[in-house]
Each structure stands twice: as C-alpha cells, then as structure tokens.
Amino acid sequence: MRLTFVSPFPFKARVAPPQEPPNRWCCAIYNKTSKPITKGARAPSRLSKRWIEYHGSRNWEGLLDPLDDVLRGEIIRYGSFVEAAYQSFDFDPSSPTYAACRYAKNMVLERCSTVHGCGYWVTKNLHATSSIPLPRWIERMPRWMQVQSSWIGYVAVCNDKEEISRLGRRDIVIALRGTATCLEWLENLRATLTHCSGDSFPTKQNDEPMVEAGVLSLYTSGTNTCPSLQQLLRHEVLKILKLYKDEPLSLTITGHSLGASLAVIAAYDIKTTINHSPHLSVISFGGPRVANQSFRHHLEQQGVKVLRIVNSDDLITKVPGFFVEDHDGVIHEQNVCVAHLTKWIQKRVKDSRQVYANIGHELRLSSRDSLHLNSINVATCHDLKTYLDLVNGFVSSTCPFRAGARRMLKKATNIPTIK
C-alpha cells in the first residue's frame, strides 16, 4: 500500500532566534558547493567550552526541544561517520571483497565525501562475527550466504590540532553500520533476551542485565582468524587511552540500526572492563530495543550517556519485544499498561524474556514533518539519510521543520540509500 503524504502543518514555521553561526557540519553534508571541513575555519567557542554538556553530562537538558544548533551540528557530524562506514562497505555479492572494507584503512575517511578532511584518522578496522552454525551443504551455496565475519565499522581518533581546539578535547569515535549480510539478518531474528554477565561482562551486583541474543552474539563471537568485535574494541580503546593519557579525551560511539544496538552494548562493555575510561557517550540513529531495565540501570550507574535519535514512523525503533519496561518499572504492552495484572502474571511476562526497556534520552522526530519525503514507507523511514534530513530541519516539537530547510534540501546531494 502506498501512502500519500499531506502536510498537517498549514501554518508558517516560526523561526527560532539564531543561537550562533550555523555549524559547518550542518551545511557540509547537504550543500554541493561546501566541504565537510574547512581548514582554518573559526572554532565555535560554545562547543569547545561546553562540549561535555553537548555530550550528555546534563542529559541534554534544554538542548533537545528546541534543538540547539551546536548539538544539531554534532549529531549530523557523528551521523556522517556512520555514513562513511556504509560508503566503505562492499555491498556487491559478486565482488571478491564482498562484506569487506573497500578501502585501505588510511583511506576510509578520505574516500568518503561526508567526512573528507575531517581531522580524524582511522586506527582500527572492526569486524563482527555470527555464531550461527553453518550446515555442510552451505558450501554449495553462493559465497555471500557463507560470510560469517564482516567489516562493520572503524575506530578513529582526532589528530588535527585545529579540530581538537574546536572540539575542546581529543575525540575518539567508534562508528558502526547497520545490518548488511545474510547471517546478520538471521542474528536479528534471535530476539529473546539473554544474560550478559560472566567472563565477557562481569557484573558487580546480583541483578540480571540482559541483552538481545543475536546482537550479543555478533559482539562477542569470533573465529580463529578474526577476533570478536569485543576483543578488537577493548584492545584498541586501551591502546589509545594509554597513548593520550595526559590529554582531555572523549569517547563517542555512534551507529545506525544494528550499529546502534552494538554501540550500546560496546559502551556497557568498555565502562565495565576498562578503568578510568573517559567521558563516554552514544549517539544512535534508528536503533531497535536491545536490553532490559537492569541493563539500563547498570549503564546509567556507569555514567554512560545515550542520545537515541528516533523517527516515530520507523518501525525498527519499536521492536523487538512485546512488552516494554519504562523508567518507572511499569510494564507496558505497546501503549497499553498492564501494571494492574497480578505479580504472578508480570513474573511470567518477564520470564518470557521479551520485556525490553528503552535506553537513553530521545530526540523524537517524524517523517511526516519532512519536506523531503513525498511518501512514507518502512525503508525510507529507517534510512540514515532520512534521519540526517530530519535532524537538519528539526526546530522543536511545536515547529517541526525550519523555514530554511526547504531551500537547503533543494540543493541536497544524493547520499546513497542505506539498506
């Protein structure tokens, strides 16, 4: 069924008073005539002085509605790193390098237009491995069905002095793409919750943090020739922290879809296993639910800050789990509260391992407010390009799209569609 979009906003958008000159990342990702980074550009003083606030130290209080222009620029900037992960991944099943990175490590950011010249340097390629056992007959099937480990993103460090000055610290970025391979799709179907305690995730308390089984598998599984994503990240983060131990540092994990789920688990793992880790924030786009309330409680105790960019029309952000446990501990089925049920029934619901919790602070957007989309469907609502369009144009909940966004979108570059 094809839906035709009719704007529910006949009024003229109220333009929010200017907060400071537009962040260059906002325009760079869409404007053909501009570059993602302009060497020698004047650094926005607010970001360098208040970067920790823009990365969640106060839970983004007063910055989301209306959306602060500096925060808007930061969100789009980190979304551009995820876009680079997509652009670098080889999606062609007939290619001999299918599911690998198309570029050499030192060229990942240079070959991607959205982050070219950004001042960051890739230090590590990252791979995720599925633990789903492959039957013997799979050897007779096409190679794309047999790929067990695939390139899923990278670690990058800011090495440009001017950019470090603009940011107010040296930033470490972990960027993770969404689902792409056959086995990754199959892992997504393993939607029951499983315990994440043990040697891989040591737990200091007696409660039971649980995460989605398929995502945990992709994070912790490895082979004889390919270490797990967990091992790769632990080793690389420790190496970078030791190298820059005398400098102010931040660690930002960003991802889209499956990458958003992996970002949350990686943040929990790093904070649990690495002592004296720097300020850690997660900026996720279109992420599904990934864990239960106990996991969220542990994450919050560790000081991890999660900003979850959500499109209300994106079905992926509403799954998995038939029930959702909110911050007040009340279980809801979709939007219907079942708190009035007996404790025995609520226990049976939890035992089903389908009670998920929404993690982090939300910036909630809607495809219906976009000036770019003529129709709404599952694919476009989940597309990373749609998310970046919505962030770029959003003003506030009472004025969803800014007046200048239409002119900017007419000059938009064609970012490849994310599958």
Side-chain angles (χ1 to χ4, degrees):
M1 181 177 68
R2 188 178 184 86
L3 300 178
T4 303
F5 171 65
V6 179
S7 173
F9 302 103
F11 53 82
K12 293 184 179 179
R14 292 182 289 109
V15 181
Q19 301 179 38
E20 73 175 26
N23 186 293
R24 61 176 176 258
W25 278 92
C26 283
C27 299
I29 193 168
Y30 294 108
N31 195 323
K32 291 181 179 180
T33 60
S34 59
K35 297 180 179 180
I37 285 289
T38 304
K39 294 293 183 180
R42 184 178 297 274
S45 58
R46 264 206 309 168
L47 177 58
S48 60
K49 293 179 180 179
R50 298 172 54 191
W51 70 265
I52 197 167
E53 183 179 342
Y54 285 113
H55 280 248
S57 65
R58 297 177 55 196
N59 298 321
W60 293 280
E61 182 180 350
L63 299 175
L64 298 176
D65 192 5
L67 182 59
D68 183 274
D69 277 344
V70 176
L71 179 59
R72 184 200 318 279
E74 284 293 273
I75 293 171
I76 292 179
R77 188 168 72 90
Y78 287 109
S80 300
F81 285 114
V82 182
E83 175 64 23
Y86 276 116
Q87 290 184 6
S88 300
F89 183 78
D90 191 345
F91 284 94
D92 183 5
S94 63
S95 169
T97 59
Y98 169 67
C101 182
R102 296 192 296 148
Y103 311 124
K105 184 177 69 175
N106 61 342
M107 295 300 293
V108 168
L109 300 182
E110 293 301 312
R111 294 293 294 272
C112 299
S113 58
T114 57
V115 289
H116 174 72
C118 62
Y120 285 70
W121 183 263
V122 173
T123 64
K124 191 72 174 180
N125 282 318
L126 301 175
H127 296 80
T129 301
S130 169
S131 64
I132 295 177
L134 298 177
R136 291 183 180 180
W137 54 261
I138 200 72
E139 296 177 0
R140 299 192 296 270
M141 303 302 290
R143 182 180 175 276
W144 61 268
M145 295 184 66
Q146 306 176 38
V147 174
Q148 205 162 9
S149 299
S150 56
W151 187 86
I152 200 162
Y154 57 88
V155 180
V157 179
C158 185
N159 281 333
D160 183 82
K161 291 183 179 180
E162 292 179 1
E163 185 67 359
I164 292 172
S165 175
R166 187 185 77 86
L167 297 175
R169 82 285 183 193
R170 187 185 296 272
D171 187 36
I172 307 164
V173 171
I174 299 171
L176 303 166
R177 61 161 177 81
T179 308
T181 69
C182 180
L183 287 181
E184 288 171 0
W185 283 109
L186 291 177
E187 290 284 20
N188 287 340
L189 298 178
R190 299 171 62 187
T192 55
L193 289 165
T194 186
H195 298 282
C196 62
S197 57
D199 294 337
S200 296
F201 291 94
T203 305
K204 297 180 180 179
Q205 299 181 18
N206 294 324
D207 54 1
E208 302 178 1
M210 303 175 75
V211 296
E212 184 185 351
V215 179
L216 184 64
S217 167
L218 288 169
Y219 186 71
T220 58
S221 300
T223 66
N224 293 334
T225 58
C226 183
S228 69
L229 178 58
Q230 180 184 52
Q231 291 172 322
L232 292 170
L233 281 176
R234 285 183 180 182
H235 179 268
E236 188 63 17
V237 170
L238 279 171
K239 185 182 75 174
I240 294 173
L241 294 183
K242 184 177 180 180
L243 184 61
Y244 301 110
K245 61 182 179 180
D246 297 325
E247 298 183 30
L249 295 171
S250 67
L251 178 56
T252 310
I253 312 178
T254 183
H256 171 249
S257 193
L258 170 63
S261 298
L262 289 169
V264 172
I265 294 179
Y268 177 90
D269 183 35
I270 290 170
K271 276 293 186 179
T272 302
T273 59
I274 298 179
N275 295 327
H276 310 297
S277 56
H279 178 84
L280 196 161
S281 57
V282 175
I283 298 180
S284 72
F285 300 86
R289 301 183 188 118
V290 70
N292 67 350
Q293 187 188 38
S294 176
F295 181 95
R296 180 180 64 199
H297 178 67
H298 277 259
L299 202 67
E300 291 172 349
Q301 280 192 326
Q302 293 167 345
V304 175
K305 302 299 180 179
V306 180
L307 179 58
R308 186 172 181 239
I309 318 301
V310 176
N311 181 354
S312 297
D313 303 301
D314 182 3
L315 295 178
I316 303 301
T317 63
K318 299 175 173 63
V319 296
F322 298 108
F323 299 87
V324 181
E325 197 163 29
D326 287 338
H327 286 270
D328 55 7
V330 176
I331 300 174
H332 299 264
E333 181 179 14
Q334 298 299 326
N335 294 321
V336 180
C337 178
V338 293
H340 63 280
L341 298 178
T342 64
K343 291 184 178 179
W344 178 82
I345 295 179
Q346 288 211 31
K347 183 179 184 303
R348 292 297 297 269
V349 169
K350 286 192 174 184
D351 290 345
S352 70
R353 299 194 177 187
Q354 289 290 337
V355 181
Y356 280 76
N358 291 321
I359 296 175
H361 299 267
E362 288 187 357
L363 172 60
R364 186 163 287 274
L365 311 168
S366 174
S367 294
R368 301 177 190 277
D369 300 328
S370 174
L371 303 175
H372 180 71
L373 298 175
N374 295 321
S375 62
I376 297 176
N377 57 57
V378 174
T380 57
C381 287
H382 188 58
D383 191 2
L384 178 60
K385 178 181 182 296
T386 299
Y387 273 85
L388 298 182
D389 282 341
L390 293 175
V391 173
N392 184 56
F394 180 77
V395 176
S396 69
S397 57
T398 57
C399 179
F401 229 70
R402 53 181 173 166
R406 185 185 298 274
R407 293 189 299 272
M408 184 175 294
L409 289 173
K410 284 183 179 180
K411 300 179 180 179
T413 57
N414 294 321
I415 299 177
T417 300
I418 304 308
K419 299 179 179 179

